[in-house]
């Protein structure tokens, strides 16, 4: 990982004035190197309309969903942040960007590394604060989608904003992929001849986490025909997950329990959970109900490529069931 001692934290600037002045000079030089062609369009962002000219050639992504949209649009970003819990991009997309530069983590960006890439477009995460936005904007047009409350369809809205910034070809490609994703989920739903329940949990070092029913992954599980259970364990206004105690284990009891881990330990996690007394007391689930999945894809990623990969996982889970 290349995050340096001159990192720019997600919570705001912590460096002295001399550092800011030097940084501004660096940004100004970088601005002179930016190049865009004549085509112009206006993109609605969290900080108002932003005019984009031409087709960006030097794209930097600061959000996993933005990287996904860019790659799906046949755009290879120069730099990206790591996936949560990893030291590179998520494994499901890694082979498509083998030479990408790591320029930070989801919570901390290395601004010097971004400057060095001389981007002509920065795709930033929803919720990027104004101080960071203003600094990034001195380097290149910076796209920040509006940060809405958690919702199953929010990733589509964000993807459309990124695609619009990338140009008409990207917009058309995204809409084609979204239509195929909807069709795939609808087919899975139609093939479910009897109602089935499902839940999504993630194993972390501190224990199990119940995942909200308003996420990218839980939205796709629901679209595939499952009745979600356990999502109500995450209270409104809370982050996307909450610790799952043994006492609440019964509330994730389902015919299929998708168990995510942030590394390749999902098989071991399945066996460990199956052996826990609290799990063995469940009425519906048993060992065969547990499906180990990659948390980098299921609980951190978003975007059309991630959706396609996740639906394939559901396909395989049904074939194996």
């Amino acid at each position: 990982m290349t995050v340096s001692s001159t990192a720019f934290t997600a919570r705001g600037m912590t460096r002295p004035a001399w550092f800011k002045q030097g940084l501004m000079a660096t940004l100004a030089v970088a601005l002179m190197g930016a190049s865009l062609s004549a085509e112009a369009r206006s993109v609605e962002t969290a900080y108002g309309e932003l005019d984009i000219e031409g087709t960006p050639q030097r794209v930097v992504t600061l959000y996993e969903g933005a990287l996904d949209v860019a790659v799906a649009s046949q755009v290879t970003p120069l730099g990206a942040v790591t996936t949560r819990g990893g030291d590179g991009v998520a494994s499901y997309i890694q082979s498509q960007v083998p030479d990408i530069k790591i320029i930070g983590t989801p919570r901390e960006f290395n601004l010097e590394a971004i400057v060095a890439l001389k981007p002509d477009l920065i795709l930033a995460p929803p919720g990027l604060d104004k101080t960071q936005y203003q600094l990034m904007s001195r380097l290149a047009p910076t796209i920040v989608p509006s940060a809405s409350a958690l919702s199953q369809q929010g990733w589509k809205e964000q993807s459309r904003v990124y695609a619009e910034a990338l140009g008409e070809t990207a917009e058309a490609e995204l809409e084609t992929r979204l239509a195929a994703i909807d069709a795939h989920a609808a087919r899975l739903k139609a093939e479910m001849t009897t109602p089935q329940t499902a839940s999504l949990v993630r194993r972390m070092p501190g224990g199990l986490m119940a995942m909200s029913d308003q996420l990218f992954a839980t939205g796709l599980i629901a679209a595939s025909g499952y009745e979600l259970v356990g999502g109500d364990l995450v209270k409104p206004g809370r982050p996307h997950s909450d610790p799952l105690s043994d006492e609440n284990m019964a509330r994730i009891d389902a015919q299929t329990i998708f168990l995510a881990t942030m590394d390749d330990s999902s098989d071991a996690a399945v066996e460990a959970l199956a052996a826990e007394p609290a799990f063995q007391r469940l009425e519906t689930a048993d060992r065969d109900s547990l499906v180990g999945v990659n948390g980098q894809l299921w609980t951190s990623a978003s975007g059309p490529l991630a959706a396609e990969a996740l639906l394939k996982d559901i396909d395989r889970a049904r074939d194996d069931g």
Side-chain angles (χ1 to χ4, degrees):
M1 194 165 67
T2 58
V3 175
S4 75
S5 61
T6 53
F8 179 63
T9 70
R11 292 185 174 83
M13 291 294 290
T14 60
R15 299 289 168 183
W18 61 264
F19 174 77
K20 294 181 181 178
Q21 292 169 0
L23 184 60
M24 292 304 101
T26 305
L27 291 172
V29 171
L31 271 173
M32 295 173 64
S35 62
L36 292 167
S37 56
E39 178 194 355
R41 57 197 174 281
S42 183
V43 181
E44 185 66 38
T45 77
Y47 293 105
E49 288 191 353
L50 188 62
D51 292 333
I52 304 291
E53 296 182 352
T55 302
Q57 302 296 316
R58 302 184 64 82
V59 177
V60 165
T61 64
L62 305 179
Y63 180 58
E64 290 176 88
L67 172 64
D68 189 298
V69 172
V71 174
S73 305
Q74 310 300 314
V75 173
T76 303
L78 301 174
V81 295
T82 64
T83 186
R84 287 169 175 77
D87 57 6
V89 299
S91 55
Y92 83 92
I93 204 171
Q94 203 166 41
S95 64
Q96 299 185 65
V97 286
D99 300 321
I100 200 165
K101 300 295 184 184
I102 297 301
I103 51 174
T105 70
R107 292 184 177 276
E108 189 174 51
F109 314 133
N110 184 335
L111 197 54
E112 287 185 338
I114 298 172
V115 170
L117 294 176
K118 299 180 180 178
D120 58 19
L121 182 69
I122 296 174
L123 302 181
L128 186 76
D129 74 32
K130 193 170 185 178
T131 300
Q132 295 177 66
Y133 170 74
Q134 290 173 334
L135 275 172
M136 295 292 177
S137 296
R138 290 174 179 267
L139 179 58
T142 299
I143 303 299
V144 182
S146 297
S148 56
L150 284 178
S151 72
Q152 294 182 349
Q153 301 298 315
W155 69 274
K156 292 182 179 178
E157 300 167 12
Q158 295 167 7
S159 295
R160 287 188 167 106
V161 174
Y162 294 132
E164 187 176 7
L166 290 168
E168 291 183 358
T169 301
E171 286 186 274
E173 177 67 24
L174 176 66
E175 293 305 326
T176 298
R177 287 182 178 273
L178 292 181
I181 289 163
D182 289 343
H184 189 170
R187 175 178 63 78
L188 288 170
K189 184 175 183 177
E191 290 173 352
M192 185 176 287
T193 54
T194 57
Q196 294 187 33
T197 55
S199 58
L200 173 63
V201 295
R202 183 167 70 183
R203 181 173 286 282
M204 300 295 287
L208 287 177
M209 306 289 291
M211 306 302 294
S212 168
D213 57 8
Q214 295 299 314
L215 302 178
F216 163 76
T218 43
L220 289 168
I221 293 172
S224 301
Y226 294 97
E227 177 188 349
L228 284 168
V229 300
D232 58 343
L233 286 165
V234 183
K235 301 293 185 296
R238 299 279 297 170
H240 69 344
S241 58
D242 254 347
L244 177 64
S245 65
D246 285 352
E247 290 73 21
N248 281 330
M249 185 74 79
R251 295 175 65 180
I252 59 105
D253 192 2
Q255 290 160 297
T256 300
I257 299 176
F258 294 102
L259 174 60
T261 54
M262 299 305 291
D263 51 28
D264 57 1
S265 65
S266 61
D267 289 344
V270 164
E271 298 306 324
L273 180 56
E276 292 182 11
F279 177 82
Q280 293 175 348
R281 288 193 291 271
L282 298 182
E283 294 183 359
T284 302
D286 56 22
R287 167 63 183 80
D288 292 338
S289 303
L290 292 172
V291 178
V293 295
N294 188 327
Q296 292 183 1
L297 169 65
W298 278 66
T299 62
S300 292
S302 66
L305 297 180
E308 292 164 4
L310 193 151
L311 290 174
K312 289 179 181 176
D313 278 355
I314 294 177
D315 260 329
R316 282 191 289 271
R318 291 190 182 180
D319 289 342
D320 294 340

